[in-house]
Amino acid sequence: MEMTVIDKIILIFKYTISSFMAIELFLLSLLLFLFTILNIKKNNRIVKIISIILCLGFLIGLMIAYRSYAMQSIDSLIQMLLSYLYFPSMVVYFFIILTTTAAFIFTILSKKMGKIKKIINCVILSFLYFCFMAIISLATKSGIDLSIMNELYKNETILSFIQISNIIFFLWIEYTCLYHFYKFLEKKFD
């Protein structure tokens, strides 16, 4: 189906005015946009709270209205994550390394981050880089094409490196989220 950008915009516009539900969704989105603009302009705490409540209400309303689809989407997400943990993909692993690189640069440049968190980040991120370089080295020595999924599973050492580094990456993400949540609560209640 070949459509130009103009055709796609016209199709979206026709959908938006075609039913009450579409108009309602458009108005709720517009309201959220207006609250966001007000927040940027005034930086008011009440506007922030209303924006968060509106956004969460919008999300919860959609989940209630389309309960079966929401449950199916959550199930698919969980299956995809579990499938990735057991059957890793080099594309996702490459994006993990890009995320690690960004986190490493942020850690180095950050002046607000505590020394212990910086040390933990550097150790974890250095280990993830070691795993990535080991995978590339093993693939080169073994003549394995990492873009072909079946070949990835032939070498247990490469697969072990990927799976262990994924586990460490996800644990590091959880630790980082809990660390920032703790710092937020510490700042809020001090």
Side-chain angles (χ1 to χ4, degrees):
M1 185 158 102
E2 293 290 320
M3 293 177 70
T4 65
V5 174
I6 301 294
D7 292 337
K8 292 176 185 180
I9 292 172
I10 291 171
L11 192 64
I12 290 171
F13 181 73
K14 284 180 183 177
Y15 170 77
T16 304
I17 61 171
S18 68
S19 70
F20 180 73
M21 179 70 168
I23 293 171
E24 184 179 310
L25 289 174
F26 176 72
L27 290 176
L28 283 172
S29 301
L30 185 63
L31 188 61
L32 181 62
F33 172 74
L34 290 175
F35 272 112
T36 306
I37 294 298
L38 278 174
N39 187 33
I40 291 171
K41 224 173 183 180
K42 297 197 185 248
N43 200 11
N44 189 345
R45 185 181 174 117
I46 294 172
V47 175
K48 286 181 184 180
I49 292 171
I50 291 173
S51 295
I52 291 170
I53 290 171
L54 184 66
C55 187
L56 289 175
F58 186 69
L59 193 62
I60 290 170
L62 283 175
M63 289 177 75
I64 290 171
Y66 299 105
R67 185 179 358 206
S68 62
Y69 182 74
M71 293 303 291
Q72 183 183 2
S73 297
I74 291 169
D75 285 344
S76 296
L77 176 68
I78 291 171
Q79 285 176 357
M80 185 183 77
L81 286 174
L82 289 175
S83 174
Y84 174 72
L85 285 175
Y86 289 111
F87 307 104
S89 152
M90 282 307 292
V91 173
V92 177
Y93 192 74
F94 182 71
F95 283 110
I96 286 174
I97 293 302
L98 288 178
T99 304
T100 302
T101 304
F104 199 69
I105 292 169
F106 180 76
T107 298
I108 291 170
L109 297 177
S110 177
K111 293 180 181 178
K112 293 181 180 181
M113 193 179 294
K115 284 186 179 183
I116 294 173
K117 174 67 173 145
K118 278 188 174 188
I119 291 170
I120 290 172
N121 277 3
C122 287
V123 168
I124 297 294
L125 300 175
S126 296
F127 178 75
L128 290 174
Y129 267 106
F130 163 73
C131 289
F132 183 67
M133 289 184 282
I135 290 167
I136 300 300
S137 173
L138 284 167
T140 304
K141 279 184 184 177
S142 303
I144 294 175
D145 184 3
L146 292 176
S147 63
I148 300 173
M149 291 294 290
N150 292 339
E151 287 194 25
L152 183 66
Y153 302 114
K154 289 180 181 176
N155 191 319
E156 288 181 9
T157 309
I158 291 176
L159 197 57
S160 297
F161 265 115
I162 292 172
Q163 288 174 337
I164 293 299
S165 60
N166 284 337
I167 290 170
I168 289 172
F169 176 75
F170 288 118
L171 289 174
W172 173 74
I173 290 288
E174 288 177 32
Y175 165 75
T176 302
C177 290
L178 289 173
Y179 173 82
H180 288 294
F181 183 66
Y182 171 75
K183 287 295 183 184
F184 171 77
L185 290 177
E186 183 179 56
K187 187 175 165 184
K188 197 79 165 167
F189 294 112
D190 257 359

